[in-house]
């Protein structure tokens, strides 16, 4: 059994992105977006994503719509939808997200957005294929 006190685990992680668990059909990832930072505009063609915000203040930009997000909010991003999440506050924007199917390499840890982007560009952040 995998068990996480997810808000606590997410709050303690300083990493931009950390994969906590990868299954055959879904993946659990925690993220910490620094002040003035963002995830970056992206589209996951075949992957649904559910993001739950633990702390901080930000802006969800999904399919051309914008909405403020705070602790306790949950945002659903259907596959094929352009999206970005931006930290608009002075403190880190902390969240956990579930991808279905998995989006990142199992147990991947990226300390910064730049590190995450470089791993993706180099093909080092591919989800498991089996």
């Amino acid at each position: 059994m995998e068990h996480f006190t997810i808000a606590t685990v997410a709050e303690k992680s300083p990493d931009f992105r950390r994969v906590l668990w990868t299954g055959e059909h879904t993946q659990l990832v925690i993220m910490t977006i620094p002040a003035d930072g963002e995830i970056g505009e992206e589209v996951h063609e075949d992957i649904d994503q559910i993001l739950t915000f633990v702390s901080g203040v930000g802006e969800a930009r999904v399919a051309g719509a914008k909405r403020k997000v705070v602790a306790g909010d949950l945002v659903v991003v259907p596959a094929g939808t352009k999206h970005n999440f931006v930290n608009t506050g002075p403190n880190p924007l902390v969240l956990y997200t579930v991808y279905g199917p998995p989006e990142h390499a199992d147990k991947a840890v990226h300390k910064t957005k730049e590190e995450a982007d470089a791993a993706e560009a180099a093909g080092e952040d591919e989800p498991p294929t089996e």
Side-chain angles (χ1 to χ4, degrees):
M1 172 193 308
E2 295 287 339
H3 177 272
F4 301 98
T5 306
I6 194 66
T8 303
V9 172
E11 281 283 347
K12 289 182 178 178
S13 175
D15 302 315
F16 175 74
R17 180 168 55 223
R18 177 180 290 269
V19 175
L20 290 182
W21 179 84
T22 301
E24 184 177 347
H25 303 289
T26 58
Q27 184 173 63
L28 176 62
V29 177
I30 53 178
M31 297 186 75
T32 299
I33 304 167
D36 298 320
E38 64 182 77
I39 289 176
E41 188 172 86
E42 59 188 358
V43 175
H44 306 299
E45 290 299 336
D46 300 315
I47 297 171
D48 293 322
Q49 187 175 6
I50 300 170
L51 302 95
T52 303
F53 296 85
V54 174
S55 64
V57 178
E59 183 176 77
R61 301 175 183 173
V62 180
K66 294 180 181 180
R67 185 165 188 151
K68 180 179 179 180
V69 290
V70 298
D73 286 351
L74 182 145
V75 176
V76 174
V77 180
T81 304
K82 187 184 294 185
H83 61 281
N84 191 8
F85 295 87
V86 179
N87 185 341
T88 59
N91 299 314
L93 179 61
V94 179
L95 63 105
Y96 61 93
T97 183
V98 176
Y99 294 97
E103 167 69 359
H104 300 287
D106 188 30
K107 299 185 180 10
V109 176
H110 301 117
K111 302 225 178 272
T112 65
K113 180 176 181 349
E114 294 75 23
E115 185 178 306
D117 290 346
E120 288 178 16
E124 299 168 355
D125 190 33
E126 296 300 315
T129 56
E130 296 179 12

